[in-house]
Amino acid sequence: MANPEPKVKLGENGIPTFDDLPLRKGDPMHAAWGLYGPNDQLGTLNRLTDERVVAAARAEIQTGARVSMNWPLNAQVNGTFFNRRPFHQELYCKPPRTVNDDIWTFNSQGSSQWDSLRHFGYQKEKLFYNGVTMEDIHGVDEKGQKNTVNGIQAWAEQGIVGRGVLVDYHSWRQRQTDPRHKTFDPFTTTPIPLSDLLACLLSQGTTLQFGDILLIRSGWMQSYATKSPSELATLQAVLPPHFAGLEQSEEMLRWVWANFSAVAGDQPSLECWPTQQAWSLHEVLLAGWGCPIGELFHLEKLADKCAAEGRWSFFVASEPCCVDGGVASPPNILAIF
């Protein structure tokens, strides 16, 4: 028998408090299932109301300058992490006409990506957002058609659009004197604590608004660019791979729940990997809250632009690919100043 819909007590910003999670007895840790109804597939993107989007556009679009955050689809053509198939392009001409076509074959998580709600479930319970099962995802719907529940197409309809905030952790860290900041290695399982992110925001003079799209520059992309092909091959052969990223802590979860509609970083896993807890942020964000996770975002030019402008907030426009039942998608994302 399905769990009854929760009797939700809404707090600040129209959401339950973190301490009220899970909303239903028996649901996995911190799950917000049923908050937007049993068939919801938008999760925290419900926070991106028309009113918040138009307010963000009015406040953040001042010059019209645009910065892409998309890493090339073929950036890892010679090898990837997590043993994913690399990008392949087949280019061919069509004589006698002066015409070319090409065919792209790629893993949707081989470059910049949004993870959809069918990517990562609660590992112990084996359940995805709103209680969707693996059998649901690989099965058929009530009409006998391929089941598309929790697919990326649900986000393509209106996109991921609103106020974006960059936490330029890499630049901030380089200015610190603490030895742990000097020895930081993006290719090790090093947690980035919430206290550092808050200190970085304070130094930038950046304030948060509910529903923001969070972007974190860890320095992984810059480190990746310095590696030789043989060094990258060695790192890619390690399973599971090791990356620095957000710490797995209740404090981090509270902060994300209280503030953001989506979170993304420049590294392959967003959170430090392998996880240092018996659970991962992926489980709670994706499966528990329906919060999009972005990875491998190219934030170098964005960081330069923010520094030049003296502000680290901007308008974000992202249009995931409309693929029914897609597990992930290139973000097709721009920051607009």
Side-chain angles (χ1 to χ4, degrees), residues 45-61:
L45 293 184
N46 283 289
R47 300 175 177 189
L48 293 176
T49 62
D50 292 349
E51 293 76 17
R52 288 196 177 97
V53 172
V54 75
R58 288 172 176 163
E60 300 299 333
I61 301 178

Side-chain angles (χ1 to χ4, degrees), residues 11-335:
E12 188 178 4
N13 294 312
I15 63 171
T17 67
F18 182 82
D19 290 326
D20 286 332
L21 304 177
L23 298 180
R24 302 182 302 202
K25 184 178 180 180
D27 281 351
M29 64 176 290
H30 306 311
W33 294 354
L35 177 60
Y36 300 107
N39 299 315
D40 175 65
Q41 298 181 69
L42 295 179
T44 54
L45 293 184
N46 283 289
R47 300 175 177 189
L48 293 176
T49 62
D50 292 349
E51 293 76 17
R52 288 196 177 97
V53 172
V54 75
R58 288 172 176 163
E60 300 299 333
I61 301 178
Q62 301 175 14
T63 68
R66 300 168 300 280
V67 180
S68 170
M69 291 177 259
N70 303 291
W71 207 25
L73 283 174
N74 60 354
Q76 296 191 91
V77 69
N78 293 320
T80 64
F81 294 92
F82 295 106
N83 198 29
R84 288 172 172 144
R85 182 181 299 180
F87 180 92
H88 174 73
Q89 179 192 29
E90 181 183 346
L91 174 66
Y92 58 97
C93 58
K94 304 178 73 174
R97 296 175 295 164
T98 307
V99 173
N100 290 303
D101 278 4
D102 64 353
I103 298 173
W104 301 350
T105 305
F106 63 99
N107 186 301
S108 57
Q109 294 171 286
S111 184
S112 303
Q113 71 200 254
W114 285 117
D115 290 346
S116 84
L117 304 186
R118 53 171 41 196
H119 169 55
F120 207 104
Y122 281 106
Q123 298 302 290
K124 179 182 177 181
E125 294 84 355
K126 301 185 184 301
L127 294 172
F128 296 84
Y129 179 63
N130 261 354
V132 169
T133 67
M134 187 69 83
E135 290 72 25
D136 292 332
I137 289 174
H138 289 269
V140 296
D141 61 19
E142 63 276 3
K143 297 180 181 179
Q145 304 296 316
K146 181 182 74 171
N147 201 332
T148 64
V149 63
N150 284 354
I152 201 75
Q153 80 286 341
W155 299 348
E157 186 171 344
Q158 297 188 68
I160 299 174
V161 179
R163 181 178 187 259
V165 168
L166 175 67
V167 179
D168 191 354
Y169 177 76
H170 179 61
S171 293
W172 174 85
R173 181 182 55 77
Q174 291 181 312
R175 299 191 297 270
Q176 306 310 303
T177 58
D178 190 319
R180 71 181 176 86
H181 292 126
K182 298 299 183 183
T183 58
F184 180 87
D185 182 353
F187 286 89
T188 61
T189 308
T190 303
I192 298 174
L194 176 58
S195 58
D196 279 3
L197 299 182
L198 296 178
C200 179
L201 284 168
L202 182 63
S203 73
Q204 294 176 179
T206 306
T207 57
L208 300 178
Q209 297 178 14
F210 182 74
D212 280 350
I213 299 164
L214 175 67
L215 305 163
I216 300 170
R217 180 178 178 238
S218 71
W220 188 90
M221 281 282 178
Q222 194 168 101
S223 180
Y224 178 93
T226 67
K227 305 294 184 186
S228 68
S230 61
E231 288 174 321
L232 286 173
T234 298
L235 291 167
Q236 290 161 351
V238 176
L239 291 175
H242 293 69
F243 304 120
L246 301 187
E247 68 176 1
Q248 292 95 8
S249 68
E250 183 174 294
E251 292 74 22
M252 187 67 74
L253 287 173
R254 285 179 177 274
W255 185 61
V256 173
W257 174 254
N259 291 290
F260 305 111
S261 61
V263 296
D266 62 349
Q267 66 277 64
S269 58
L270 181 68
E271 59 188 304
C272 69
W273 203 257
T275 177
Q276 296 188 316
Q277 302 286 354
W279 51 272
S280 69
L281 296 181
H282 272 63
E283 292 180 81
V284 180
L285 269 62
L286 286 175
W289 304 342
C291 178
I293 291 178
E295 293 156 336
L296 293 175
F297 280 28
H298 195 274
L299 303 177
E300 303 306 295
K301 292 181 180 179
L302 179 63
D304 291 342
K305 181 63 175 176
C306 287
E309 293 285 332
R311 66 180 175 111
W312 286 260
S313 64
F314 35 82
F315 190 76
V316 165
S318 173
E319 172 66 358
C321 296
C322 189
V323 177
D324 288 344
V327 170
S329 169
N332 307 309
I333 187 168
L334 289 171

